[in-house]
Each structure stands twice: as C-alpha cells, then as structure tokens.
C-alpha cells in the first residue's frame, strides 16, 4: 500500500494529504472571506454614502452575512420552467472550481502554501478562464434575454482583458525567471516589483477589476441595463454561490497582485501572513472603493480601452523590459 | 426588490438613503430580479394593466416570501377610487397575499421601517426593537 | 510496457488518442453545422497531441520534442479556430445558416 | 410670425377669432372643417410651430377635436378646433406632419373612439382589452368589434438575427412602470416603442367627477416630483377662470416653494441618472441634499412629497421666519455642494465618455415632437415659460435661462445643474422681496362656480411645459379637464433617438429625459 | 501626445472622484437611527386627522357631526359621522367618526372645510398594520384614548 | 489499485465520455461542454505524463481561448435558438460510423503490431526551461513559422471580420 501511495504521490505530485487538508482549509477560507467581504462591502458602501449600513444584527452588524447566508440556504430552489436544466445546474458548480484551485498555489506566508507548483501562475490563469465559461453557461442556460446579453458581454470582456492581464504578469515572470509564485515572492526581497513596474501593476489591476466584473466594468450584471445580468434567473443557494465566487475572485485578483507586485508575505516585524492579508485587503478595499465611486463604462468603450490602450501599452512595456533586462 | 410603481417609490428610495438607511437592518440590497428577493414592497397604484405583471413577479419569487403594501394606493386604491373607475385594482391584496400594510399618501420612511419591523415580528413572534413613542 | 500500472502503460495513451481521433473523424463526417465540425476537429488535434506526448514520454524521454510539438499544435489550433470563426460568421451573415451540406456554392 | 390676415386668406371657410390672452391663456381660435386639418397643420408646421397639444372634448351633440399650436420664439398659442360626428367620429391624421400626433391620436382613439384616417397603428396605448367602452365619453359607448380588432396590438415581426427585449414594466431603469419594447440586433437597438398605461390613474376622468376643490390633491400625484408646480398649474387655472385675485405674498411664497420643488426634482434626477449610468453613490449624496429640501417643505406644507399646498386664492398656510431662515441656510449649503458634484461627476472621464455625444437632438426634431423643458433648452432654444409667459412672482424676478449647444445628454445634465443654481438665485431674490400681507385672498366664494368657457393655463414644471385646459359649464365640476404633460412629448422622442444606439446608451437617454411615468399616464 | 495627456487627465479625474468618496468615508454619518432615534416631526405634519377637544368641555370633541367634511372629502374617506344631541346642549356631539385612512390623500380639505375647527392632523407618522381594517380609525375613540394618555 | 490509478481511470473515462458527447449530442452547446470536458481530461492525462506545463497550457489555450471562441461563434450564429438541429440523415450517420470504426480497427492493429522501443530514462522530466531551449535553439525555424502563422491568422481573422461587417 505504501508502495502504491509512493507511486501515486509521484504521479500526482507531492503530498496528497497535504493537498486535501489544504483544500479544506481553502474552502473554509473562501467562505469566511466571502462573508467578510459582503459585510465589508456594505460597510464601505455605507460609510462612503455617509450612512451606517449593517448594524442591527450582531455587533457592528457582523452577524449579518451569516444571517443572510442562512436565509439563502433556507430559500426555495426555484428552477424556472424554460431553462436548460443541465446547464442551469452546472453553471454555479463550474463557477466554483477555479476559485478553489487558484487558492491552492497562492503563498499566504512563508511555507503557508497548499502546494507550490512550478507552473503556479499558469494554474491561476488557466482556471480563471473557467469562470467566464460558467457565466456563459449560466447566461445560456437561463433562457433569458437579459442573461444572454450579460453572458455575451462577459465573454467578449474576458477575451479582451485576459491579454493585458497575461502580458503584465509575464513581465514579472521574465524578471524573475520562474513561474512559481513562491520564487516570485522571494525575488522581491530587496525591492517590490511595483517600483520597477508601476505601469504593469496598473494594467494588471485594471484588467483584474474587469475580469472580476466589478464596477466600472460590471457590464455582465449591469443592474440598470440588464436587471441582474447572467444570474437574473438564479435564486437561493445557487445565487449565493455566484456571489461567493465573485467575492473570492476579488480576493484572488488582489492576492495575485500582492504576490506579484507588492512583495507578497514579505514585510518587517509582523508575521508573513499578516502582511499578506493587510496588502491583499487593502487592494480589495480599493476595488470596493472603485465600485462606490464610478459610473459604469459602456460596452464598446470597455473593449476599445482594452484593445487600443491596455494591450499596446503592455506590449511596449514588455518589449522595453525585456530589452533592459538583456542589456 | 425594487418595485416602485408610483409616488411611494420615491419615499421607498428615501428609506434606503443615508437619512434613514434601511441597510442597518440588513435589508439594504434592493435586487432587481424577483428570483433573488424575499420581500416585495408594492409601492404605488396597481392598475389593471399592471396586475398580471405583479402576480407573475410574486410567483417568480422563491418562498418564503413576504409582501408589504406601501401606501394607500397599494392597500385599497387610495384616493383614486371613485365610482365608475375602470383601471384600478382596489388593493393589491386582491391579487396577492399581503403581510403588512403601511398606509399613508405617501407614508413616511419611518412607516416603511415600522412595516419592516412588523414583518420581523410576524416571523419571529417578538419585537427586537424599541417602540418609539406614539404621537398623537 | 513499463511498470504494472495503467497510467504507466504506453498503450492506454495510444488507445485514448486513437479514440479521440476516431470520434473526431466521426464528428467531422456527420456533423451538420460548421461549428460542430470545428469542435470535432479540435478532438482530432487533441488526439494527435496526446499521442505525441505519450510517445515522447515512453519512447524517447531524453528530450521534449513531443511536448514542443504539442505546443505547436495548440498554436495552430488557436489560429485555426480564429480563422474558422471568421469564416463561419461570414457564412452566417451571407447565407443565414451554418450548415455545411447546404453550402453548395463553395464547391464552385 | 402667424398673421391673421394670411390665415384668413388661406382658409376662407374657417372661423378665426382673436382671444384675450390675459383671460383665456391663448391668443387665437380657429374653427375649421375636419377636412382642412392637415392643411392647417401643414401651414403651421411650415411656419415653425409645434403641436402643443391635441385632445378631444365630448359635447354630447358633437365631439370637438382641439389642436393647440405654439412656437418657441414668442408664445402665440393658437387653438384649432373641429367638430366630429359623435356616432361615427373620423378625422384625418396629422401624424405625418407632427410626429407626436401619432401618440396623441392613438390616445384619442382609445378614449373617445375617434378613427383617424391614415394613421399607421391605432393600437392600445394606455388601455388594455379589459376595458370595453370609451372611458372619456360622457355617455357610455361600447367599443365596436371592428375597433377592438384594430386596437389589439400587432405582434411585431421577428426576423432572424434580431430579437425583442421588454424593458419593463418592471425594470430598474424605467423609473416607474414604463414599458419599452426594444428590437435588438446584438447590443444595438433597431427599433423602440414605448407602451404606456401601466400607471393610468384616470385623473382626467376623475376631474369630471370631482369639484374643482376636490381635485386639489390630484395634480400633485400626477407628477410627484414636481407636485407643487402641478398644483400651481391647477390652482392658477381655476383662479383665472373664477377671477380670484391672489395676494402678492402668496405669489412669492408660491414661487419660492415651486423653485425648491424644482431643485428637489432636479436633484433626484441627478441621482437617478447617475444610477442609470451605474454610479450609485451620487444617488445617496443627492438624497442627502434633497432631504433638506423636504425638511423645509414639510415644515411649511406638512407633507414630504405630495404637498397640495396651494389653495384657490392663496396658500394652505403661511410661511414663518423659520422657513426663511432654513431656506437661506439651504441655499448656502447647496451652493457649497455643487463643487463636490463637479468633482465627483462632471469631471469624471467615464461619465463624460458616457454622456457626451449621446442622444443628440436638434430643433427640427423638437418641433416635430413639441418637447419642452431642459430637454429642448439643451439644443440652444431659450424657451422657458417662466420667462416667456411669466406667472406668479417670476414677473418681477430676473433670471437667465441656461441653454446648451449640442443637445446631447451632457448638455441636458449641465443645464439641470445650472438650473438648480439659477433656482437658488430666484429663491434668494424672492425671499429678499417677500412682501408682508395676507397669504390668502379674503373674499372667496363658498362654492366655486366658474362662468362658462374654456381656458388654458401653462406652467414651467421641472420637466417642461405643463398645460391645463379646462372647459367649464357653470357647475362646481369641470366639464373637461385636459392635462398636457411635458414628459409625454419628451419621452416620445425616445424611439427616434434610441435607434442605432447601444442598449447602455438608450438607458442613458431614457434617464436624461427625467420622465415621471404617472405624469405621462395620468 | 494629446492622447497621453488625455489619459493622464482622465486618470486624474478618477482620482479626484475617489477623493470625494474617501472624504465622505471618513466624515460622520447623517443617518437618524429609527427606531432608536426619531426625527423631529414638524407640528404641521399631516398624518391622519384627529378630533380636537372642546376647550370648555374636555370630555367631548368639538365635532358636531354636521358631515360637511364627509361631503367635501375628495375620496370619500370619511365613512360615517354620527352624533347625538345630549340634554342641555345646543349642538350634537359626535359619537362615531370613522375615517378610512387607506383612501385618504392627506390633502387637508376636511380640516379646512370644517366650520367648527374640530379637525386637525395628528402626528402619527409611522402607522403600519397587518390588515386593512387596522386603519379604519374611529376618531372619537382615538380622542378618548388620547385623553387618557 | 491505488488512488492514483483510480483517478487515472476516472480521467480516462471522463475524456472518452466527453469525446462521445462532443460528437453525438444534439445541441451545439452540449457539444461544446463535451469538448471542454475532453480538454480537461487530456490535460489530466498530460499531468500523468509528467508534463504539467503542457497541461496548464492546454487549459489556458484550449479552454480559455479556443472554447470561448467557439462559444462566441455559437452565440453569434445561433442567437436565442436553444437547440439548433444537429442530426443528419441516417445513411450519412451510418457511413460516418463505419468509416471511423474501420479506421479505429486498422490503426489499433497497427499500434499493437508496432514494436515500440521504450526509452531508457525512467523519469521523464521536461521543465519549462528545457522547452524554451528547444524552442529557441533547435526548433527556432518552426517556431518562427508558427509565429508567422499566428500573425497571418490574426490578420486573416481581422480581414474576415471587416469583410463581414462591410457586408452586413
């Protein structure tokens, strides 16, 4: 049996047990993070609008997200009549996979990483494309015109913004010479990459906000235009999973930005994980801040912005960086 | 869910705004789609042309669900009832079951908040919030 | 045959690659719409890729040519899809359908 | 612009009479045969007039179609009437000359049963098939089978590659219960058609059942955002009809409160417009300011939204020193807030890109539709009833009318912001001049029985030109009361502006009109 | 080059906008926490109507059940006004005065038209109930309840 | 049978079922779903073949780009038609099956009869660095050609799009 395990381990990777435990940890983290963020979103929104927001349920309204999720659990699961059942059920599930997988490779602290894969960043990028797929399936399966428009928008948006996102991360990969997230963090011991590559950071962050479908790029669910976009027909727990995935995506985008540009878990005095969380949640706060400040861009402007500004700029950045590194 | 029909919708918005802040009770997220709503606030006159839509929307909401009839028009047709009227549903409770009625033309935002607490009272059986002094 | 394990067996990979190839051929032959054919084509390409990597892994593990050529295949597949998409949309705009059989004019 | 001699020469069969404007609210009355209507309309269209209103009055013996024409340069309101047979009412359609008549004629068709020859689409606009009589006829007349067939909406033909979207009746951006059918090609709109009547509350029918006084609460509920302006239009009309003098103090208070109401309305529009564009936070900021307006108005009128504060011959109750104090403080506060709005919204590059060059209107379009208010001021027409036909205390107060250049959403936005500033100036001026005296006319008849006749009263509501036309028959109850509402003609330009737009732009355009649906549906 | 300056200007405008919201984030909230706090209701607030007590005889209201208000009401909200003549008094005294608040439009015509000034607006600003019948107020009874408080 | 083997079998079955679904399902959207599951299955097989980089690239390119493009095509070509008719005539179907089965049998025999020479090194381990070396040293010319091909494809796609826009 040990023999088998050894070979299994050899075949799959390292320590299966560690991965499984890590996955459970990640799951808990994902849920807690999403709950926290719904609360934070309300509070940030509230205070930016000079009101209190969630307050009456629990101290500072901290119990509110739990109460909400319990409520959503208790809701009736409606399956609308004309939906494509398989796709309708599948979409929230698919939506959740990339979220889980991405967390596996993110280094939360020194040694606090579920699994250091030597193609780590590729894992995140590869699986993040799945979330588009889930939006597409949700939109298609819902048999609702608003959902379908939302899905179409989402697909186009993701194609457009995946490119600058990749290119700006590629710059850092070139500088480090490794695809492993741990190596990237370790390479920033002297200086954070944001100081070398502010433009890349900006492009990554903008594209990241677009990838998570947040304002000002929240076209797939643009409320004033498409009611609720791709999840118009979803209710109860299925809707909650979309919600969960959205907030976790924000977290991932911020976490990757932290790892790539802000020195990850590096920082004086405090333990690594604290630094990591501080940096990540600061970026999350900025994303929330965006949402409660800006109006939404228009669809064609969104695409033009990516194709005409972000992609050329990041190409130039890439070429210049490559040239400087070789010289 | 946002379901502003008429005048009262403005007061409903006012309730969500900074001065009254319905979000304190965790009820701040007005969803535009019935699938994700728990409470339907019918704020305004329901006409006969609108009635089928109201019913559909109510049916599209996942249970458990509640309804507040906000304003006199939604309760009984309000000031628009007269003999020979041809386009009014005289009270939304003729179409869908209503849990709490908030009268007024339009009701003040406090009225809506009070209605919300009444809903909670109906669900849990007790009132968590202090009762403000009754004014005469 | 290396080892007793299924996943260390060259033949199983070859079999899977062949399976993908044949289903792909099946799809290309009988699918009605152009998109359907395109999808089936992807299956064939995948089969080829799998074949290459498996042979690379078991027959000549010293170098990575199979892997590299699979990457080439991916590049080709992506560009092929882009072009095919363009053509399909063009056909759709012109004929209002995307059914391969009905496109008699293309033969002339 | 319009000369009587010329008209007499052109239409020898018509009865043309000059009307004392001060008493009746319009200048010229022309009675023509129904066959001449298209010619008359054509003449006025060539002279640069717009169709102010088109409606019908049922006199039992005959139906009277009333056309009101006006022009934007100097108000010269012309009433054109024609008599129709009540049994088989038919009239020629003028929807080809004035596009807005398309909808007015549909309205008359379903409410009176008048068949318009040459009208392309006489289907239900306000009503639905459950109502099988013509509601506004004095005697109950059943809808004929033939008419019923005509009224049923024709399903628009679905072609390949296009699909239909129902924007509303329950949709977050329609500000109420407006339904717009959009025919889309992907994200682009090919064709749009508003469907009204989801909030038709029968105000005009109700007016025929209630005394002038009992109708007081209604206008405020038509346009709950500009309740006081609507209230004023009604009160002003009845006062003119009965010859009631209004004390000067009341006039000034009316001006102040109306302007406050206008600010409140524009503020809400600002928030709602931004919410349509996806920015929610400004909505809450404007409500913060709006609550101040409401506080001021509530302290004097007792209500937050539907005030019904003006009474015939004056006001419901007087304003006090506290009101003036509060208003002055509010003026200071709001002036300070404009800078914040400019930083948050006006300068924002996303906002600018969303609104600039979208929904461009020009003068010709406006003339065909007879739009009014900030919507037309954005094209550069300085047309404002407060200035052109001054009422209340606007006679004494000098103010400028902001105009735009391009007629796009940006201009409409800028004009409304500017109008708020100007309203603040007007309020300040009016407060400084506020005379002492009674707030209500002393001698008021116990029962209002106005003399026989008709009258038009116009007011500049926050959304534009509001008109009330009253026909009195010497009883306490109006014989016919017609409300010409500004949002109606503003909204109807939507199909034309939305064509070829992205859906996001269409929603921005819809938001920029500042429509209030109950006002359109009445 | 103009494009670059445009982009920079645009970014600057966005940052200015963010400055506005972050300033609001750290400024005090304007929320009035109903039901823990309440807004001062203005004395002119128009709630439903109430009957005023007679100054001379506080046990009875000023209402003499003449029915003028019911006649003038635009939406026939005042359902029933009844009174009886007590011995030794000149006028009738109202015994029931039923107001159907659900059709009231709070316009104030009844208050204005009352020749005895017996009606006024109450400051009952937050009514809510479980059925329509909750708002069929009998104003005479309301008056008696109020007297006790 | 270890855990790894069970997972391997599951992945293999997943791939095969996905492939069958791709060709046999009636609606294009399900075909796409089948393709995606096949792609994932193949990616899993690549991991078993010690090529994790390739597996990730497989997902990134195939799932992230190719299938999204296909989704786009489905959406553009068949707007709001949930299930475009896919089934063809029976004769054609039988013919196709015969062709594929015959080719399957023939190639399978060929595979089984070929004496495969197994490599000497047991641990196959090609790192990303090695791949880069191969690309830019020994296979620089094909790499350039592929790059050229992709550029041509991009230009061609743009041309097609412009052409179709002019038509529409």
């Amino acid at each position: 049996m040990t023999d088998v395990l050894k070979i299994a381990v050899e075949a799959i990777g390292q320590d299966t047990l560690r991965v499984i435990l890590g996955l459970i940890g990640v799951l808990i983290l994902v849920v807690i993070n999403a709950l926290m963020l719904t609360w934070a979103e309300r509070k940030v929104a509230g205070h930016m609008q000079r009101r209190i927001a969630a307050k009456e349920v629990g101290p500072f309204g901290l119990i509110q997200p739990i109460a909400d999720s319990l409520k959503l659990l208790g809701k009736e699961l409606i399956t609308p009549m004309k939906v494509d059942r398989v796709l309708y059920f599948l979409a929230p599930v698919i939506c959740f996979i990339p979220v889980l997988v991405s967390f596996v490779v993110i280094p939360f602290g020194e040694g606090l990483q579920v699994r250091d894969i030597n193609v780590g960043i590729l894992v995140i990028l590869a699986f993040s494309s799945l979330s588009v797929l889930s939006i597409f399936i949700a939109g298609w399966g819902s048999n609702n015109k608003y959902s379908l428009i939302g899905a179409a928008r989402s697909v186009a948006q993701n194609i457009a913004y995946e490119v600058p996102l990749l290119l700006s991360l590629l710059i850092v990969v070139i500088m480090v010479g490794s695809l492993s997230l741990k190596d990237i963090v370790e390479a920033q011991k002297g200086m954070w990459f944001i100081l070398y590559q502010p433009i890349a950071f900006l492009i990554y962050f903008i594209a990241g906000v677009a990838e998570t479908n947040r304002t000002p790029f929240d076209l797939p669910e643009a409320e004033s235009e498409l009611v609720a976009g791709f999840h118009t027909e979803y209710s109860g727990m299925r809707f909650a999973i979309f919600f969960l995935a959205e907030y976790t995506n924000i977290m991932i985008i911020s976490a990757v930005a932290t790892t790539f540009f802000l020195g990850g878990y590096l920082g004086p005095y405090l333990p690594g994980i604290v630094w990591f969380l501080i940096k990540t949640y600061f970026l999350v706060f900025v994303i929330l801040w965006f949402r409660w400040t800006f109006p939404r861009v228009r669809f064609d402007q969104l695409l033009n912005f990516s194709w005409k500004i972000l992609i050329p700029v990041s190409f130039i950045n890439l070429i210049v960086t490559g040239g400087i590194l070789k010289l | 869910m946002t379901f502003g029909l008429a005048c009262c919708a403005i007061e409903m918005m006012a309730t969500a705004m900074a001065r009254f802040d319905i979000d304190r009770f965790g009820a701040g997220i007005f969803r535009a789609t019935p699938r994700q709503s728990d409470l339907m606030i019918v704020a305004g006159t329901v006409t006969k042309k609108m009635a089928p839509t109201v019913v559909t929307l109510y049916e599209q909401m996942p249970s458990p669900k509640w309804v507040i009839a906000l304003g006199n028009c939604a309760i009984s047709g309000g000031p628009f009832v007269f003999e020979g009227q041809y386009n009014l549903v005289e009270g939304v409770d003729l179409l869908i079951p209503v849990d709490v009625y908030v009268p007024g033309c339009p009701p003040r935002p406090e009225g809506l908040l009070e209605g919300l607490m009444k809903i909670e009272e109906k669900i849990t059986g007790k009132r968590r919030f202090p009762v403000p002094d009754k004014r005469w | 045959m290396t080892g007793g394990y299924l996943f260390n067996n060259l033949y199983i990979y070859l079999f899977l690659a062949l399976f993908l190839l044949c289903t792909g051929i099946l799809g290309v032959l009988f699918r009605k719409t152009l998109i359907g054919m395109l999808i089936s084509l992807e299956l064939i390409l995948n089969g080829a890729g799998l074949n290459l990597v498996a042979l690379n892994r078991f027959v000549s593990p010293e170098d990575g040519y199979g892997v590299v050529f699979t990457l080439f295949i991916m590049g080709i597949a992506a560009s092929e899809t882009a072009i095919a998409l363009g053509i399909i949309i063009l056909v759709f705009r012109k004929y209002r359908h995307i059914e391969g059989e009905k496109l008699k004019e293309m033969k002339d | 612009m319009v000369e009587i001699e010329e008209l007499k020469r052109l239409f020898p069969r018509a009865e043309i009479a000059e009307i004392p404007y001060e008493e009746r609210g319009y200048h010229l009355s022309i009675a023509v045969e129904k066959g001449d209507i298209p010619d008359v309309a054509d003449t006025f269209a060539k002279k640069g007039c717009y169709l102010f209103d088109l409606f019908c009055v049922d006199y039992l013996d005959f139906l009277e179609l009333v056309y009101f024409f006006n022009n934007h340069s100097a108000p010269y309101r012309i009433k054109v009437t024609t008599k129709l047979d009540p049994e088989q009412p038919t009239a020629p359609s003028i929807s080809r000359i004035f596009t807005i008549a398309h909808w007015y004629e549909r309205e008359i068709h379903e409410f009176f049963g008048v068949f318009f020859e040459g009208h392309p689409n006489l289907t239900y606009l306000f009503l639905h098939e459950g109502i099988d009589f013509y509601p506004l006829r004095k005697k109950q007349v059943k809808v004929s089978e033939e008419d019923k067939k005509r009224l049923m909406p024709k399903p628009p033909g679905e072609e390949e590659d296009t699909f239909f979207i129902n924007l509303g009746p329950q949709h977050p951006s329609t500000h109420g219960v407006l339904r717009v059918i959009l025919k889309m090609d992907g994200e682009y709109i090919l064709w749009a058609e508003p469907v009204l009547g989801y909030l038709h509350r029968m105000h005009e029918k109700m007016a025929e059942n209630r005394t002038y006084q009992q109708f007081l609460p209604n206008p405020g509920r038509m346009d709950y955002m500009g309740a006081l302006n609507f209230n004023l239009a009604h009160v002003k009309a009845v006062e003119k009809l009965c010859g009631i003098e209004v004390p000067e103090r009341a006039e000034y208070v009316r001006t102040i409160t109306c302007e406050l109401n206008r600010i409140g309305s524009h503020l809400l529009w600002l928030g709602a417009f931004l919410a349509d564009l996806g920015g929610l936070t400004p909505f809450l900021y404007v409500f913060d300011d709006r609550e101040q307006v409401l506080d001021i108005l509530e302290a004097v009128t007792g209500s937050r939204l539907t005030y019904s504060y003006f009474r015939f011959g004056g006001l419901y109750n007087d304003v006090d020193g506290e009101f003036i104090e509060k208003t002055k403080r509010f003026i200071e506060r709001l002036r300070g807030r404009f800078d914040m709005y400019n930083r948050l919204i006006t300068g924002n590059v996303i906002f600018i890109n969303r609104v600039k060059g979208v929904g461009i209107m020009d003068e010709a379009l406006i003339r065909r539709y007879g739009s009014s208010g900030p919507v037309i001021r954005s094209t550069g027409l300085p047309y404002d009833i407060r200035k052109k036909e001054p009422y209340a205390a606007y006679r004494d107060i000098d103010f400028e009318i902001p105009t735009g250049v391009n007629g796009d959403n940006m201009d409409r936005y800028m004009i409304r912001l500017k109008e708020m500033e100007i309203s603040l100036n007007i309020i300040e001026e009016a407060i400084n001049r506020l005379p002492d005296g009674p707030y209500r006319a002393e001698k008021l008849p116990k029962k209002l029985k106005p003399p026989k006749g008709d009258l038009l009263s116009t007011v500049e509501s926050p959304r534009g030109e509001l008109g009330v036309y009253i026909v009195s028959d010497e009883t306490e109850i109006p014989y016919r009361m017609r409300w010409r509402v500004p949002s109606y003609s503003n909204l109807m330009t939507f199909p034309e502006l939305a064509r070829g737009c992205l859906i996001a732009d269409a929603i921005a355009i819809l938001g920029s009109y500042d429509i209030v649906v109950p006002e359109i549906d009445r | 080059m103009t494009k670059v300056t445009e982009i920079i200007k645009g970014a600057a405008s966005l940052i200015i906008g963010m400055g506005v919201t972050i300033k609001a984030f750290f400024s005090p909230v304007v929320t009035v926490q109903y039901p823990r706090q309440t807004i001062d209701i203005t004395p002119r607030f128009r709630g439903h109507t109430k009957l005023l007590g007679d100054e001379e005889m506080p046990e009875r209201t000023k209402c003499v059940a003449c029915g003028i208000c019911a006649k003038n009401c635009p939406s026939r909200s005042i359902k029933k006004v009844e009174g009886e003549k007590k011995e030794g008094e000149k006028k009738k005294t109202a015994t029931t005065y039923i107001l159907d608040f659900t059709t009231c439009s709070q316009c104030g015509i009844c208050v204005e038209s009352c020749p005895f000034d017996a009606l006024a607006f109450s400051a009952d600003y937050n009514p809510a109930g479980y059925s329509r019948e909750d708002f069929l107020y009998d104003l005479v009874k309301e008056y008696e309840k109020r007297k006790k408080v | 049978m270890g855990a790894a083997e069970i997972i391997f079998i599951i992945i293999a079955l997943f791939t095969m079922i996905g492939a069958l679904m791709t060709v046999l399902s009636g609606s294009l959207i399900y075909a796409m779903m089948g393709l995606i599951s096949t792609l994932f299955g193949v990616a899993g097989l690549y991991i078993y073949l010690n090529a994790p980089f390739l597996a990730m690239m497989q997902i990134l390119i195939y799932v992230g780009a190719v299938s999204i493009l296909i989704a786009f095509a489905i959406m553009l070509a068949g707007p709001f038609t949930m299930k475009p008719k896919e089934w063809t005539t029976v004769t054609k179907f039988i013919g196709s099956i015969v062709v594929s089965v015959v080719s399957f049998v023939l190639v399978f025999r060929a595979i089984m009869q070929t004496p495969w020479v197994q490599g000497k090194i047991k641990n196959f381990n090609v790192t990303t660095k090695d791949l880069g070396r191969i690309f830019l040293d020994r296979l620089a010319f094909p790499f350039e050609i592929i790059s050229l091909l992709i550029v041509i494809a991009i230009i061609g796609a743009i041309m097609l799009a412009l052409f179709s826009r002019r038509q529409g």
Side-chain angles (χ1 to χ4, degrees), chain C:
Chain C
M1 306 243 176
T2 26
Y5 297 106
L6 216 50
F7 53 84
N8 266 347
N9 192 332
L10 172 64
Y11 287 95
I12 192 91
Y13 292 101
L14 293 182
F15 170 76
L16 279 173
L18 181 59
F19 185 84
L20 289 184
L21 174 81
C22 290
T23 44
I25 289 172
L26 177 69
V28 170
L29 284 179
F30 92 91
R31 278 261 165 199
K32 216 167 159 190
T33 60
L34 293 178
I35 296 175
M37 292 177 189
L38 187 66
I39 293 174
S40 309
L41 212 63
E42 297 301 333
L43 279 186
I44 299 179
L45 289 174
N46 260 289
L50 185 59
N51 215 340
L52 280 175
V53 180
L55 288 175
N56 188 188
R57 158 83 172 80
F58 292 107
V59 179
S60 65
E62 300 84 20
D63 50 28
Y65 279 93
V67 175
V68 167
F69 271 95
T70 314
L71 282 171
F72 280 151
I73 290 175
M74 282 179 194
I76 292 167
S79 44
E80 165 247 320
T81 320
I83 293 282
L85 178 74
I87 293 171
I88 287 169
I89 288 170
L90 203 63
V91 166
F92 182 74
R93 294 251 157 151
K94 199 164 179 188
Y95 300 99
R96 300 262 133 225
H97 66 80
I98 43 166
E99 291 179 19
E101 278 173 53
K102 289 195 196 159
L103 294 172
K104 302 288 182 222
E105 280 173 56
M106 266 189 152
K107 289 175 185 166
D108 305 329

Side-chain angles (χ1 to χ4, degrees), chain A residues 145-146 148-154 156 219-220 225-226 298-300, chain D residues 161 163 165 182-190 498 500-506, chain F residues 80:
Chain A
K145 284 166 186 173
Y146 292 121
L148 199 52
I149 293 181
R153 283 177 170 193
S154 161
L219 290 139
E225 293 159 28
L226 302 179
R298 203 169 62 208
F299 186 58
D300 56 335
Chain D
D161 211 17
F163 58 96
I165 274 194
L182 299 175
K183 186 174 167 186
M184 315 270 301
D185 176 13
E187 288 256 336
Y188 287 90
I189 293 166
L190 298 175
C501 270
L502 286 162
I503 184 165
D505 278 346
Chain F
F80 314 110

